[in-house]
Amino acid sequence: GNIVTIEHQLANGSKVWSQYAHLDQRYVQVGETVERRQEIGTVGRGPNNRFTAHLHFEIRKTYLASNAWPRTNGQPWNRSQLLQHWLHPSNFINQNRPHQ
């Protein structure tokens, strides 16, 4: 499906990657700089419209292929493996949201 992955430079110099998957349409191109609140795509229904409309959203703390998902040979990763690569999205956003 349509996926957009955005690299973010944090104030402390580290990087994270937000990924938006199962998009119906993408409005940005590879290498394009995006701004806060810029529309990057539209919510889709997954491959072959198999699901109800939704957005698959992740915050990754390591760079991974866009189709990386926590399974190896069909076996789910354990919590420790997940925490090596992914952050809890709500916690990350709450801790890093600019003050209004």
Side-chain angles (χ1 to χ4, degrees):
N2 287 319
I3 297 172
V4 172
T5 303
I6 300 174
E7 180 181 279
H8 305 267
Q9 176 100 24
L10 303 179
N12 67 5
S14 65
K15 293 180 181 179
V16 297
W17 293 262
S18 59
Q19 180 166 286
Y20 309 81
H22 300 171
L23 299 174
D24 181 46
Q25 296 179 41
R26 286 180 300 174
Y27 295 158
V28 294
Q29 304 300 316
V30 173
E32 181 177 342
T33 299
V34 297
E35 301 293 329
R36 188 173 186 206
R37 295 191 172 105
Q38 177 180 342
E39 288 185 34
I40 59 171
T42 60
V43 173
R45 296 180 50 192
N48 301 315
N49 291 321
R50 291 177 39 198
F51 308 108
T52 57
H54 70 286
L55 176 68
H56 182 101
F57 175 69
E58 302 176 7
I59 298 286
R60 298 170 172 199
K61 60 182 176 179
T62 58
Y63 178 79
L64 300 167
S66 62
N67 65 348
W69 189 242
R71 296 193 186 283
T72 304
N73 298 326
Q75 298 298 316
W77 290 5
N78 65 41
R79 182 172 174 76
S80 174
Q81 290 171 301
L82 289 171
L83 294 175
Q84 289 176 19
H85 302 286
W86 281 271
L87 295 166
H88 187 284
S90 295
N91 293 347
F92 176 81
I93 291 167
N94 289 335
Q95 293 170 358
N96 292 279
R97 177 175 279 144
H99 299 300
Q100 299 295 328

